[in-house]
């Protein structure tokens, strides 16, 4: 399933605005996820999760790069994210529900930093985009 | 049962005091209907829900949103007994309104997003975590009497 044209345009426009700060927001989203949903920490026993951790920042940047890759390949998310799908499903074995928690915290973070831009339509487009990303990452996700 | 620390209760109550319940209620319900269009199934009698602007401007959406959020204020006042506070509403949502409890979780998360957009810097990760506990507790309390 491919994202509709209007949603694609909205997401691309936002990503242009975020510029090189995507990593800042994904890092904040990770911090929020760990605090609000402590069960997510069970997947990160190898990282220092204390506030301001450089390891969380590094992981945030990885997430940012993956999302930017997704934005650049909106017409073929499964193809673009196939390596990450393999990783998350077979090596990391993350419960699919956890991705939704991170997505929610990313929306919270963006709403916090860009309240003027965060219209209901943009929220809807982002929600759909990120749902497509989750579907591309998780083989059996529904 | 959800347990809130004294700090969490104080932080939640303090933020709630600054919320314009009427405006936030309309916005929360409106965004729910825009972002998760299947939720419109409960609101056939509301008239024009054909576009985001129609939904956000719809007076029935605003009025009902205000009702919902006013009721949420009871949660803030009864954080130690959410199940008791929402028992009657739980029965109503199951027996009369037939609302899938999943919708309560969706609305709760929309509310958290709205709080983030309104309160910006003040909506720290710690404050969000407290609010996530509250909205999850309310959703569970509202689902509690389902049979």
């Amino acid at each position: 399933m491919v994202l509709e044209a209007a949603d694609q345009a909205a997401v691309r426009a936002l990503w242009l605005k975020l510029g090189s700060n995507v990593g800042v927001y994904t890092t904040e989203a990770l911090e929020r996820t760990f605090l609000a949903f402590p069960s997510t920490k069970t997947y990160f026993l190898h990282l220092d999760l204390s506030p301001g951790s450089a390891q969380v920042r590094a992981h945030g940047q990885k997430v940012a790069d993956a999302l930017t890759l997704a934005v650049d390949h909106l017409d073929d998310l499964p193809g673009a994210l196939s390596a990450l799908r393999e990783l998350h499903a077979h090596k990391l074995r993350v419960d699919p529900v956890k991705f939704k928690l991170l997505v929610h915290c990313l929306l919270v973070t963006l709403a916090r930093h860009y309240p003027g831009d965060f219209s209901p339509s943009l929220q809807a487009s982002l929600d759909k985009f990120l749902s497509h990303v989750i579907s591309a990452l998780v083989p059996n996700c529904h | 049962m959800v347990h809130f620390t004294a700090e969490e209760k104080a932080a939640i109550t303090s933020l709630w005091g600054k919320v314009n319940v009427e405006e936030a209620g309309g916005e929360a319900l409106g965004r729910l209907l825009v972002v998760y269009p299947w939720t419109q199934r409960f609101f056939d009698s509301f008239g024009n829900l054909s576009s985001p602007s129609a939904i956000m401007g719809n007076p029935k959406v605003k009025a009902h949103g205000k009702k919902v959020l006013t009721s949420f204020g009871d949660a803030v006042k009864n954080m130690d007994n959410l199940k008791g506070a929402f028992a009657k509403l739980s029965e109503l949502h199951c027996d009369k309104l037939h609302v899938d409890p999943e919708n309560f979780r969706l609305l709760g998360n929309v509310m958290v997003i709205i709080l983030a957009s309104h309160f910006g810097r003040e909506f720290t990760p710690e404050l969000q975590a407290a609010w996530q506990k509250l909205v999850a507790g309310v959703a569970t309390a509202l689902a509690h009497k389902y049979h």
Side-chain angles (χ1 to χ4, degrees):
Chain A
M1 241 187 85
V2 178
L3 208 60
E4 281 176 31
D7 295 318
Q8 288 201 17
V11 170
R12 286 198 186 101
L14 177 72
W15 233 252
L16 265 175
K17 195 159 189 178
L18 300 183
S20 52
N21 285 328
V22 180
V24 172
Y25 304 130
T26 48
T27 299
E28 184 179 328
L30 279 170
E31 286 168 354
R32 285 179 179 273
T33 305
F34 296 143
L35 257 173
F37 308 108
S39 64
T40 55
K41 295 192 290 185
T42 59
Y43 293 93
F44 294 96
L45 302 175
H46 57 292
L47 289 190
D48 162 24
L49 297 183
S50 52
S53 151
Q55 293 183 332
V56 172
R57 232 179 7 256
H59 194 72
Q61 192 55 51
K62 275 193 205 165
V63 173
D65 292 341
L67 287 175
T68 299
L69 177 73
V71 173
D72 286 339
H73 292 87
L74 292 174
D75 285 322
D76 180 25
L77 287 178
L81 298 177
S82 65
L84 283 170
R85 180 169 64 252
E86 283 302 305
L87 179 70
H88 284 82
H90 297 299
K91 200 151 172 257
L92 304 176
R93 287 173 291 188
V94 180
D95 183 325
V97 163
K98 297 303 188 246
F99 295 113
K100 291 193 189 172
L101 301 179
L102 177 58
V103 160
H104 168 68
C105 288
L106 183 57
L107 292 175
V108 168
T109 303
L110 292 174
R112 203 200 129 201
H113 287 275
Y114 295 89
D117 295 282
F118 207 74
S119 64
S121 301
L122 180 60
Q123 184 182 341
S125 297
L126 270 174
D127 196 271
K128 279 183 228 166
F129 161 59
L130 293 165
S131 298
H132 278 62
V133 170
I134 293 179
S135 296
L137 272 182
V138 180
N140 299 314
C141 195
H142 44 147
Chain B
M1 203 182 105
V2 194
H3 174 74
F4 296 90
T5 64
E7 292 78 17
E8 284 170 334
K9 284 187 198 170
I12 288 171
T13 306
S14 161
L15 196 80
W16 188 251
K18 300 181 208 174
V19 171
N20 178 327
V21 168
E22 176 162 3
E23 246 177 53
E27 198 184 341
L29 186 62
R31 282 180 186 261
L32 181 77
L33 299 174
V34 169
V35 180
Y36 309 108
W38 58 88
T39 58
Q40 294 170 24
R41 70 194 303 278
F42 303 108
F43 301 103
D44 281 334
S45 64
F46 274 28
N48 187 4
L49 298 178
S50 59
S51 69
S53 51
I55 291 171
M56 300 311 287
N58 184 311
K60 285 188 173 174
V61 170
K62 290 185 190 187
H64 194 71
K66 179 182 172 187
K67 197 171 175 184
V68 170
L69 223 69
T70 303
S71 166
F72 201 87
D74 287 341
V76 177
K77 293 199 205 94
N78 292 283
M79 283 186 258
D80 288 328
N81 182 21
L82 293 173
K83 290 202 169 113
F86 285 95
K88 283 256 152 350
L89 276 174
S90 180
E91 284 169 10
L92 176 75
H93 282 78
C94 172
D95 299 329
K96 292 255 150 46
L97 304 176
H98 311 294
V99 178
D100 177 352
E102 186 54 36
N103 293 288
F104 309 141
R105 284 168 240 292
L106 287 178
L107 183 61
N109 279 337
V110 170
M111 278 179 59
V112 168
I113 287 173
I114 285 170
L115 291 174
S117 76
H118 285 198
F119 292 101
R121 198 154 283 278
E122 209 181 325
F123 201 66
T124 60
E126 290 76 11
L127 189 48
Q128 180 190 347
W131 273 90
Q132 296 290 168
K133 263 165 91 166
L134 182 61
V135 300
V138 171
T140 303
L142 275 173
H144 188 62
K145 292 283 188 188
Y146 272 59
H147 58 97

